[in-house]
Amino acid sequence: MPHYIRPRVTGATIFFTVCLQDRRSALLTDQIGLLRDAVRATKAGRPFEIVSMVVLPDHLHCVWRLPAGDRDFGRRWGAIKGRFSASVRRAGLVPPDASYLGNGGVNPALRKGQVGIWQKRFWEHHIRCEEDLANHVRYCHVNPVKHGFVARPEDWPWSSVHREKRFAQYDRKDVA
């Protein structure tokens, strides 16, 4: 089993990419309300700030700022993934048989016959400076354009770009 060495920085600002096991799925946008509920419940128990976030059909990108003295983003992601997975199963929205995908997801003790909804791991990058932060926030905003879902970042409904008073002006090079 791999042993990942992660920075042990408290109060860090971190960029994440989190993906569904089935990359052809649209579960995250189809069930955006359940995802929002999972994030909201997790934030209530283990606070963090969402600096930027975009939800696409099969994956999401976000930038979080953890509270001072706290570095435990792994438990937060485990809680979000677990809450979302449980809600999807309770709603009868179990993904189609995907035995070829293996037993991914947050719960290695899945009941026999269940399929993991999430990829086991996620990708994270600790933000180093203001320029790094701006680049990762911009990456969140332009990602729906990059994937061909919309022509402009502000046209994507599941993005924190809408929290800004004015939409940032993006050059074609930003979205190409």
Side-chain angles (χ1 to χ4, degrees), residues 48-153:
F48 60 94
E49 176 189 354
I50 297 174
V51 177
S52 182
M53 186 167 185
V54 64
V55 178
L56 289 98
D58 64 343
H59 70 285
L60 62 85
H61 301 287
C62 59
V63 178
W64 288 0
R65 187 168 292 125
L66 296 177
D70 192 338
R71 64 177 180 233
D72 194 359
F73 54 84
R75 286 192 202 273
R76 286 171 172 88
W77 276 119
I80 290 168
K81 288 175 163 185
R83 285 182 169 110
F84 180 77
S85 297
S87 295
V88 166
R89 286 197 173 91
R90 271 194 306 274
L93 303 168
V94 177
D97 178 36
S99 55
Y100 66 92
L101 295 174
N103 190 25
V106 299
N107 185 357
L110 290 171
R111 291 188 189 105
K112 186 173 179 151
Q114 285 186 332
V115 175
I117 294 170
W118 298 94
Q119 287 185 358
K120 285 184 179 183
R121 293 182 176 81
F122 51 84
W123 190 83
E124 96 271 346
H125 164 78
H126 279 66
I127 301 295
R128 296 182 195 94
C129 62
E130 287 301 316
E131 181 182 6
D132 194 24
L133 175 61
N135 288 338
H136 284 85
V137 167
R138 184 172 26 263
Y139 184 84
C140 289
H141 291 171
V142 301
N143 207 254
V145 177
K146 175 185 160 194
H147 286 284
F149 293 119
V150 292
R152 303 174 312 152

